[in-house]
Amino acid sequence: MTGIQRNFQHDTDVLIRQVDNHLSVLRAGAVNDLRLAELLAASLRDLVVSTTRASAADRAWVRAAVHYFVLRREGRHRGRSIRSLTADQRVINEVALALGRPDLVVEGVTPITGTVRAA
């Protein structure tokens, strides 16, 4: 049992590290929607932790959301992604809702001020 428990924790650590590393890259690249990126990363971290001991299917949903967020396709100019953070937001919110975690849904963020819009 110890090996299984360690594997769950290892997978959790890897996913969180991927999210944190990607957020660092976004911060360094001066992304316009940095506040949205931070909220999405926080939601993903919570999803990863809350599904550490969930079914393989639920963990696969979260892993897919993390990969979708992290593996952004770059355009010709480095730092300018083809896919917007709002596309990431839709995917992460769908996964959160599918897993029964409406508390982790990220609402709209005003890009200029970084404030969360009322729902």
Side-chain angles (χ1 to χ4, degrees), residues 4 20 47 97 100:
I4 293 172
D20 290 344
L47 281 169
L97 290 172

Side-chain angles (χ1 to χ4, degrees), residues 3-118:
I4 293 172
Q5 185 177 16
R6 188 173 29 187
N7 287 340
F8 285 141
Q9 188 60 47
H10 175 73
D11 292 346
T12 298
D13 294 343
V14 167
L15 291 173
I16 289 176
R17 198 167 36 251
Q18 288 175 346
V19 169
D20 290 344
N21 288 342
H22 184 63
L23 188 57
S24 294
V25 168
L26 292 176
R27 285 181 179 137
V31 166
N32 291 339
D33 297 335
L34 185 57
R35 179 68 179 137
L36 177 57
E38 289 171 343
L39 291 171
L40 293 173
S43 180
L44 281 172
R45 278 189 222 99
D46 286 346
L47 281 169
V48 168
V49 170
S50 69
T51 58
T52 297
R53 297 199 156 271
S55 70
D58 288 354
R59 290 192 320 274
W61 275 98
V62 174
R63 190 171 45 256
V66 167
H67 290 166
Y68 191 82
F69 178 68
V70 169
L71 302 176
R72 301 171 64 81
R73 294 187 191 107
E74 297 293 328
R76 287 191 323 199
H77 304 289
R78 192 165 176 89
R80 299 199 63 167
S81 72
I82 295 170
R83 188 177 66 241
S84 70
L85 284 170
T86 55
D88 295 347
Q89 180 181 12
R90 279 190 295 275
V91 168
I92 293 166
N93 285 348
E94 286 179 20
V95 169
L97 290 172
L99 297 177
R101 294 298 309 267
D103 57 310
L104 297 179
V105 168
V106 176
E107 297 297 330
V109 175
T110 306
I112 296 172
T113 61
T115 57
V116 178
R117 283 184 281 198

